[in-house]
Amino acid sequence: MFAIETRDLTRRYGQFIAVDDLNLQVPVGALFGLIGPNGAGKTTTLRMLAGLLEPSGGEILLNGQKAQIDGKTFRQQIGYMPDFFGVYEDMLVWEYLDFFARCHHVPTERRRQLTGELLDLVDLADKRAEYVESLSRGMRQRLCLAHALVHDPQILLLDEPASGLDPRARVEMRELLRELGAMGKTVVVSSHILAELAEMCDQVGIIQHGKLAASGPVSEIARRANAGRLLQIAALADFATVERTLAAQPGIGRILELPGRNAPDEQHHLRIEAEFVGDDGAVAHLLNTLVHADIPILSFTETAGDLEEIFLQLTEPQ
Amino acid sequence: MQLSINPIIIKELRSRMRGARAFVLLTVMLLLLAGFTYGLYQFSMVAAGYSTVLSPVVGRSLFTGLALAELLIICFITPALTAGAISGEREKLTYDMLMTTPLSAGAILWGKLFSALSYVLLLIFAAIPIASLVFIFGGVAPREMLNALLVLVAVAITLGVIGIFMSAWLGRTGRATIGSYLVVLLLMIAPVAAYIATGVINQAEPPRELLILNPLSALLSVMAASAMSNGPLDILIGLGAALGGNLGRLTGQATGAPRPLFHYSLPIYALLSIVLYVAAIQLVKPARRRINKCEIGGAVLAALALAAIAVAFFLTTADQYSAYSPLRPGLDNGVAMSGQAPPAILVEPPIPTATPAAPAEQQVDTPALSALTDVDRAALYALAIQQTFAASLLPTAEVAAPTYHILTTTDDTIAFPDGPISATVELTQTVQDAITIQLGQQGAQEAIWVADAQDAAEAPPAIYQVTLSNLHAWADDAILVSVKISGNDHAWGRSYAMHRNNQGWRSEREPVATWDK
């Protein structure tokens, strides 16, 4: 069973089709990344999932049940953080959370406790009695995330939660999302930067022109896109020797020497990138062969592939 | 689910009442109103410098001026407070967040409306102490003041709903604000323009129904028309009568509906509010405009309840407005002898006409007569005194708060020649006290009970000597009361036939007999 499943979800704005027969499947408890260039239909999809926008066609299933827009269960199950959001002026941080807790009918005795817990979670406990307006962008982003959690939803939809944040705030936001994942919530995060999501999401879906271009774990998508692995090898040897050894192996494709980065007085480091098709056993076998060929290996790594490359490849204009 | 306060109200009030702004605005407004009232008072005093001025006239002017000022404040403030209700959320990008909560569109609108109106109502109610200064001068009945308050509140609610509807419809606060003010302007100007244009084109009194939608007219119609002419102040009063649709009542050529205009304005405002509110709910919903049976049902129910209340009100008050009449003592605006003090002295008496022939049938004791309690007796006497005094006032208009010297013994010989005669009796202390109280409520300076008639020539001016008759049964279960008031070298006598109604007593339009000296 999936936490979120869409069947032929479609949304049109007049002639323009923003979301086109989208079939999305998000397993329960997954941290799902929704990736696509600007205008691909990410926000439209999330807004439909949040019950803010009525689909022109298709249906949405939440935990296997057909979701009714305007239905109360819809709103109780889902926490939504919009990509652009505002804050109310003249309101304190705790009042802000208190307001949304009231909207969700959280009982009075629980509310006070809840605001404390949520502020702790998003690390704003010391800002409790400050005006929302005075918060920095990263803090507002976290406060907005906290607001989406007041009713303890099982599904969280976060539209570009890291956009416009500086690197530190970005890392903090990522930590926060991991924490939520650990709490067993299903989290859907959208972004137009694949690398941002790749390291924390269990699964990603790449969306392009309102259609799902690819879906699955990041490594799988990368492999499908590349149809092979990319190996990086550093050795204390000359290029010809290594190339000869590698080329003799099955499954090896293009071999490239990468420019050395070391200072001139140091010993020459060879850095090679090689395409390789084969399973994990084959990779291990390849390393074994290199070692037995008496090549002094400094490092042998498989890169996840150039994510931007994959992204561009999958989302190139049709 | 527990019953809790609408979170929108809490949020809105928190932000609105935070800081000094709200209180500074309130203070400034009250100071302006107080200054305005003082100015109006000074103006009336200066205006009175050349002639005597009736205190009730001053009171009435103050009341009219204050009510108009408050209405203008409402018209200015309400759209500003409500036009941003929905569009503001959209502009601040908080709309989506609000929509993902289980709050219904109706609850959001209701919360917005309530919180905005509560501030407007705070302004209105905070001004009540200033308005109550009017009672020092008299001339305004508490009922009139309550009605004025009712109209102000209704106008505030209607304008609030208009603002919220504009906000939901036009999407941008700027546009919504302009739209709301345009509608207010339209409500203010269009009916008057149509009224005047019709009048000019037809060269006749225009139908006052044209003014029903105008908040100004609704408010002014609360105040019973008065023909009291006294100096420059009646610019305000005259304006009030004209815009209030009471012009016809002054000139005596009115046609059409007998009720004050606001009786029609209020139900129409309520209906307008319900329709716009439901429309706004449809606009606020995030998804496609889907008609919700529950909401439509609620609206229909509200409209039906409204209709029921209106019909019930119109039926229960039907006897007061059964026929249109120019102003008469005791009949105008439903004024009758009841717990409330009528605008006692401000009614215009009919020009005394030939004394109608009095029916000669009299019974010494009838059920109607024997059923009278002391309270009834006092009420009958007080009403008769008041009406006789009001009738006498016009020729010598001088005193607003008269001092009465009332004879403790009755005398039937003061009545018209063929009138019923019984033996002179002493009024009981209870009846005397009750009359004193009633007269006091009607604005009399003092009522002093005297045993013997004074020589009229010796009595100081502004003291009126009153002689009462016995109560007699009259035709149609009526009670006949005769009163003679003398003072200022004049004497007026009136005999009134009084009928019991659900509010107490009221007299027939025409006195049974009049005689003036």
Side-chain angles (χ1 to χ4, degrees):
Chain A
M1 189 177 71
F2 297 100
I4 303 173
E5 187 178 359
T6 67
R7 292 180 183 158
D8 301 329
L9 191 64
T10 306
R11 172 72 206 193
R12 287 183 211 92
Y13 292 103
Q15 291 293 309
F16 179 70
I17 301 177
V19 175
D20 190 5
D21 283 344
L22 186 74
N23 290 295
L24 200 65
Q25 289 171 338
V26 181
V28 175
L31 227 124
F32 189 91
L34 198 60
I35 300 153
N38 293 331
K42 302 183 300 281
T43 298
T44 306
T45 309
L46 287 181
R47 281 171 59 87
M48 281 193 285
L49 291 179
L52 288 172
L53 202 61
E54 195 160 29
S56 313
E59 56 186 27
I60 298 169
L61 284 85
L62 296 179
N63 292 322
Q65 291 197 320
K66 198 160 179 289
Q68 279 255 303
I69 199 158
D70 279 2
K72 284 266 155 86
T73 49
F74 213 125
R75 294 176 180 185
Q76 288 295 0
Q77 280 182 37
I78 283 186
Y80 173 66
M81 173 177 165
D83 51 350
F84 296 107
F85 60 91
V87 288
Y88 297 110
E89 62 262 32
D90 283 339
M91 239 183 161
L92 302 181
V93 168
W94 75 268
E95 289 174 344
Y96 186 80
L97 288 183
D98 185 74
F99 166 62
F100 284 104
R102 277 177 198 269
C103 291
H104 280 283
H105 309 300
V106 177
T108 317
E109 57 276 15
R110 170 89 183 103
R111 266 201 318 266
R112 203 182 157 73
Q113 198 188 351
L114 179 74
T115 40
E117 286 172 13
L118 286 176
L119 288 176
D120 278 338
L121 179 73
V122 299
D123 204 17
L124 287 174
D126 53 331
K127 302 282 177 192
R128 185 185 168 84
E130 288 188 24
Y131 282 102
V132 177
E133 282 172 302
S134 70
L135 297 186
S136 71
R137 182 164 173 109
M139 290 175 183
R140 286 188 191 192
Q141 212 94 332
R142 295 207 300 270
L143 181 63
C144 185
L145 180 60
H147 117 271
L149 290 167
V150 286
H151 53 300
D152 195 23
Q154 281 316 296
I155 299 172
L156 268 177
L157 306 174
L158 313 177
D159 202 354
E160 307 253 0
S163 72
L165 297 188
D166 61 37
R168 170 170 292 280
R170 218 171 262 253
V171 169
E172 283 167 357
M173 179 59 78
R174 202 183 298 155
E175 289 302 315
L176 196 53
L177 294 188
R178 284 218 185 87
E179 212 168 314
L180 291 173
M183 287 162 74
K185 296 191 187 303
T186 307
V187 184
V188 177
V189 189
S190 82
S191 175
H192 55 276
I193 304 167
L194 178 58
E196 189 176 286
L197 296 181
E199 34 187 310
M200 66 175 177
C201 289
D202 310 327
Q203 293 203 11
V204 293
I206 295 180
I207 192 168
Q208 163 78 353
H209 298 304
K211 285 184 191 298
L212 200 60
S215 177
V218 180
S219 52
E220 197 182 300
I221 289 184
R223 198 167 312 143
R224 206 182 310 155
N226 270 3
R229 301 172 181 232
L230 204 58
L231 301 177
Q232 262 188 21
I233 302 161
L236 293 173
D238 61 295
F239 179 66
T241 322
V242 182
E243 189 190 23
R244 196 174 339 112
T245 318
L246 278 176
Q249 298 300 316
I252 279 288
R254 196 160 50 96
I255 299 171
L256 274 180
E257 180 178 6
L258 299 175
R261 286 188 212 137
N262 43 324
D265 57 323
E266 282 181 33
Q267 200 175 356
H268 181 67
H269 280 203
L270 175 70
R271 285 170 72 243
I272 282 178
E273 200 173 74
E275 288 175 5
F276 180 69
V277 179
D279 59 11
D280 288 353
V283 175
H285 180 71
L286 186 69
L287 175 60
N288 210 13
T289 315
L290 287 175
V291 172
H292 277 97
D294 281 338
I295 296 170
I297 303 284
L298 284 174
S299 72
F300 183 93
T301 51
E302 180 185 349
T303 66
D306 189 337
L307 288 168
E308 298 309 319
E309 189 85 355
I310 301 172
F311 183 70
L312 289 175
Q313 205 176 325
L314 284 169
T315 61
E316 64 196 344
Q318 290 169 348
Chain B
M1 199 169 68
Q2 67 183 50
L3 197 70
S4 54
I5 309 171
N6 189 327
I8 299 277
I9 295 177
I10 294 177
K11 174 187 92 74
E12 293 283 313
L13 289 186
R14 261 186 188 144
S15 353
R16 182 158 353 265
M17 302 310 282
R18 178 158 281 154
R21 199 181 40 191
F23 302 96
V24 168
L25 183 60
L26 181 63
T27 311
V28 167
M29 196 211 72
L30 286 180
L31 285 177
L32 283 178
L33 269 184
F36 176 70
T37 313
Y38 183 71
L40 213 55
Y41 170 72
Q42 284 300 327
F43 174 68
S44 62
M45 285 300 122
V46 170
Y50 307 100
S51 62
T52 44
V53 64
L54 279 175
S55 154
V57 175
V58 177
R60 239 171 148 64
S61 299
L62 286 188
F63 179 57
T64 312
L66 260 179
L68 285 179
E70 286 192 36
L71 183 73
L72 286 184
I73 288 173
I74 290 172
C75 289
F76 272 114
I77 286 187
T78 316
L81 285 179
T82 51
I86 305 303
S87 51
E89 298 278 345
R90 286 191 210 266
E91 282 159 3
K92 273 185 287 176
L93 301 169
T94 44
Y95 186 73
D96 278 358
M97 289 154 87
L98 215 50
M99 284 299 139
T100 45
T101 67
L103 279 187
S104 66
I108 292 173
L109 282 182
W110 180 77
K112 289 278 182 186
L113 185 66
F114 184 90
S115 48
L117 284 182
S118 62
Y119 189 68
V120 178
L121 293 188
L122 174 68
L123 295 182
I124 298 179
F125 287 122
I128 287 183
I130 297 182
S132 65
L133 279 179
V134 165
F135 288 127
I136 293 177
F137 299 98
V140 178
R143 179 193 280 196
E144 283 179 292
M145 188 163 275
L146 283 179
N147 283 343
L149 210 57
L150 188 68
V151 171
L152 287 178
V153 170
V155 169
I157 292 176
T158 310
L159 295 188
V161 176
I162 289 175
I164 282 198
F165 170 77
M166 288 291 171
S167 185
W169 184 39
L170 297 176
R172 299 265 145 219
T173 305
R175 271 187 271 169
T177 310
I178 293 173
S180 312
Y181 279 121
L182 278 182
V183 172
V184 172
L185 215 60
L186 202 71
L187 283 180
M188 287 285 204
I189 292 177
V192 181
Y195 183 73
I196 294 172
T198 318
V200 169
I201 292 168
N202 294 344
Q203 291 294 310
E205 174 84 23
R208 62 198 201 104
E209 283 81 356
L210 283 173
L211 293 170
I212 283 175
L213 270 176
N214 188 352
L216 274 175
S217 299
L219 182 64
L220 290 169
S221 72
V222 161
M223 287 160 259
S226 163
M228 190 74 68
S229 171
N230 211 300
L233 276 185
D234 54 358
I235 293 172
L236 256 186
I237 295 176
L239 181 80
L243 283 180
N246 280 327
L247 209 55
R249 309 189 103 190
L250 291 186
T251 55
Q253 335 163 319
T255 52
R259 290 165 179 277
L261 279 179
F262 76 97
H263 282 201
Y264 309 101
S265 308
L266 292 186
I268 289 177
Y269 284 160
L271 189 67
L272 185 69
S273 301
I274 291 175
V275 169
L276 288 182
Y277 185 75
V278 172
I281 286 180
Q282 298 307 316
L283 290 168
V284 164
K285 284 186 187 173
R288 191 196 301 153
R289 315 278 145 74
R290 189 182 294 171
I291 305 294
N292 184 330
K293 280 187 192 126
C294 194
E295 277 155 7
I296 295 298
V300 169
L301 221 60
L304 284 180
L306 172 73
I309 292 172
V311 167
F313 171 76
F314 273 59
L315 284 181
T316 51
T317 55
D319 62 326
Q320 288 172 21
Y321 302 102
S322 49
Y324 188 82
S325 66
L327 296 165
R328 302 285 175 196
L331 265 183
D332 178 62
N333 212 15
V335 169
M337 209 54 183
S338 64
Q340 291 170 352
I345 299 152
L346 287 157
V347 286
E348 179 194 9
I351 304 305
T353 50
T355 307
E361 307 289 309
Q362 301 125 28
Q363 287 166 293
V364 177
D365 195 19
T366 64
L369 204 55
S370 57
L372 292 178
T373 62
D374 280 352
V375 176
D376 287 328
R377 288 170 185 278
L380 287 165
Y381 281 130
L383 179 56
I385 293 171
Q386 174 235 322
Q387 295 203 166
T388 309
F389 183 75
S392 71
L393 189 60
L394 199 63
T396 61
E398 269 170 21
V399 178
T403 298
Y404 296 115
H405 282 185
I406 311 173
L407 281 180
T408 52
T409 48
T410 61
D411 182 1
D412 279 350
T413 58
I414 59 150
F416 50 95
D418 300 331
I421 305 267
S422 315
T424 294
V425 295
E426 175 110 11
L427 292 168
T428 64
Q429 192 62 43
T430 324
V431 173
Q432 289 181 14
D433 290 346
I435 293 174
T436 308
I437 291 169
Q438 297 239 19
L439 288 176
Q441 282 176 356
Q442 292 159 19
Q445 190 79 37
E446 212 176 350
I448 297 165
W449 293 87
V450 293
D452 299 306
Q454 243 176 324
D455 189 350
E458 287 175 19
I463 290 190
Y464 294 86
Q465 212 160 94
V466 179
T467 314
L468 302 170
S469 74
N470 288 314
L471 299 177
H472 293 278
W474 199 245
D476 298 330
D477 286 336
I479 304 291
L480 183 74
V481 195
S482 306
V483 175
K484 178 184 152 195
I485 297 183
S486 50
N488 274 352
D489 298 332
H490 285 281
W492 307 271
R494 290 286 185 283
S495 294
Y496 290 103
M498 307 278 195
H499 291 274
R500 194 192 281 276
N501 69 5
N502 53 1
Q503 290 175 321
W505 293 89
R506 69 184 174 85
S507 75
E508 281 180 2
R509 272 177 220 158
E510 303 286 350
V512 173
T514 59
W515 62 100
D516 297 341
K517 285 177 198 163

